[in-house]
Amino acid sequence: MILLRDYKYFFKILFSVYFLFFQRASFFAQNQKVADSLVKIYQKNKLENSEKLELLRNLSFNEVNNLELSLKYADELIALSKLEKNYLYLHRGYNQKGNKNRLIGDLNKALNDFFKSAEAATKAKFISGKGVAYMSIADVYSIMGNVSNAEVYYTKSIDLLRKTKDSIALASALLNAGDEYSKNKKFNLALKHFEEARVIFDKTNYLIGTGYTLGNIGMVYTKQGDNELGKIYITKAIKILEKLKGFYAMS
């Protein structure tokens, strides 16, 4: 997953707070070197069935230098998944395509992709995947400025993810929802979501999530005029992010 990975759009994936200095949850690490190494396997064209599906998923996810190429891999993954009626990988294919279209800035296409991802996850009976798809839908609506739809789909995402054991995905959805509430000055709701996300990140020792969450809590207190308390939380966040070399968020 996200789970976690978008600057203005990038940290809203897959993680991404584009309006605060602490990015929204999108903590999965893409690696161009991985994509470059997998190309050699892809070019040999010897893999079939689930092995080829997994190869295409990894190629699409890790290809960051060429978004059009990443979309090509995603489209190939989608086509092959449909051919084999593999709804789990169909969900993953549309998820990758949605992420790349969001990075490109084509938000309408991204939204359509994420809805298809959720539909495929439903057919695959993959509750966690559907929850993550709803989170991505909410992120796109947030970027578009559609507050009501963003809040609706964050709630749907959180409700679904509470039924799973995917605690990192749940914490990420809570964090992103909190950002949306903070942006719209619903500070009590924002803090409620941030605090629950922080507890989960702490329990799972997911430091980057803890860092982002502490920073966003600090930003809420600062927005409310409590600069001293805000400074305390932001300082804690910076100490964590410094250890993790999260320089973009620190700046």
Side-chain angles (χ1 to χ4, degrees):
M1 256 192 145
I2 4 157
L3 279 173
L4 307 129
R5 319 147 259 225
D6 264 332
Y7 291 100
K8 177 173 181 181
Y9 300 125
F10 179 76
F11 283 108
K12 271 200 140 192
I13 258 196
L14 299 195
F15 76 178
S16 2
V17 180
Y18 65 99
F19 49 87
L20 297 181
F21 76 94
F22 286 95
Q23 293 85 349
R24 280 200 179 170
S26 191
F27 309 120
F28 300 118
Q30 296 161 309
N31 192 329
Q32 183 63 46
K33 290 182 180 180
V34 172
D36 293 341
S37 65
L38 291 176
V39 167
K40 298 175 183 178
I41 300 174
Y42 174 79
Q43 291 172 340
K44 291 180 180 179
N45 196 28
K46 293 184 178 180
L47 297 182
E48 296 180 351
N49 304 322
S50 61
E51 288 183 337
K52 187 167 185 179
L53 291 170
E54 182 63 16
L55 174 65
L56 289 167
R57 184 185 73 85
N58 277 289
L59 280 167
S60 180
F61 173 68
N62 287 294
E63 177 58 56
V64 293
N65 290 342
N66 187 334
L67 293 179
E68 292 299 333
L69 180 58
S70 178
L71 281 170
K72 172 183 173 296
Y73 292 135
D75 281 330
E76 189 174 348
L77 174 56
I78 290 167
L80 185 58
S81 298
K82 287 180 177 178
L83 186 64
E84 298 194 0
K85 295 183 179 180
N86 190 319
Y87 295 111
L88 176 60
Y89 276 93
L90 185 60
H91 150 71
R92 290 170 173 170
Y94 276 120
N95 181 62
Q96 294 301 328
K97 189 173 182 180
N99 288 333
K100 301 306 178 180
N101 274 323
R102 182 170 51 190
L103 285 173
I104 289 171
D106 197 331
L107 299 182
N108 288 320
K109 283 186 179 179
L111 199 59
N112 183 56
D113 294 330
F114 289 132
F115 273 114
K116 289 182 178 179
S117 178
E119 182 182 352
T122 301
K123 291 181 179 180
K125 297 180 180 180
F126 184 32
I127 297 175
S128 179
K130 186 176 181 179
V132 171
Y134 279 165
M135 175 168 48
S136 296
I137 289 168
D139 287 343
V140 175
Y141 276 132
S142 177
I143 295 170
M144 289 176 164
N146 190 327
V147 175
S148 59
N149 280 355
E151 292 183 357
V152 165
Y153 278 94
Y154 280 131
T155 300
K156 287 184 176 184
S157 172
I158 291 166
D159 289 345
L160 279 176
L161 291 170
R162 289 193 192 282
K163 300 175 183 179
T164 74
K165 295 181 179 180
D166 198 339
S167 56
I168 299 300
L170 173 59
S172 300
L174 289 163
L175 177 56
N176 287 11
D179 286 333
E180 182 67 16
Y181 290 126
S182 176
K183 182 178 71 172
N184 298 309
K185 299 182 180 181
K186 298 179 180 180
F187 298 126
N188 289 336
L189 276 173
L191 287 173
K192 178 183 176 182
H193 284 72
F194 287 149
E195 288 294 350
E196 186 177 355
R198 183 185 61 80
V199 169
I200 295 172
F201 284 134
D202 284 349
K203 285 183 178 179
T204 54
N205 198 31
Y206 210 86
L207 291 180
I208 190 168
T210 299
Y212 287 167
T213 306
L214 289 172
N216 283 335
I217 291 172
M219 293 297 287
V220 170
Y221 283 126
T222 301
K223 284 183 176 183
Q224 292 179 307
D226 193 338
N227 293 332
E228 289 304 313
L229 189 53
K231 183 178 178 181
I232 290 171
Y233 277 95
I234 291 171
T235 300
K236 289 180 180 179
I238 289 174
K239 287 181 179 179
I240 293 173
L241 293 167
E242 188 173 24
K243 292 179 181 178
L244 299 173
K245 297 184 179 179
F247 301 122
Y248 182 84
M250 285 170 59
S251 69

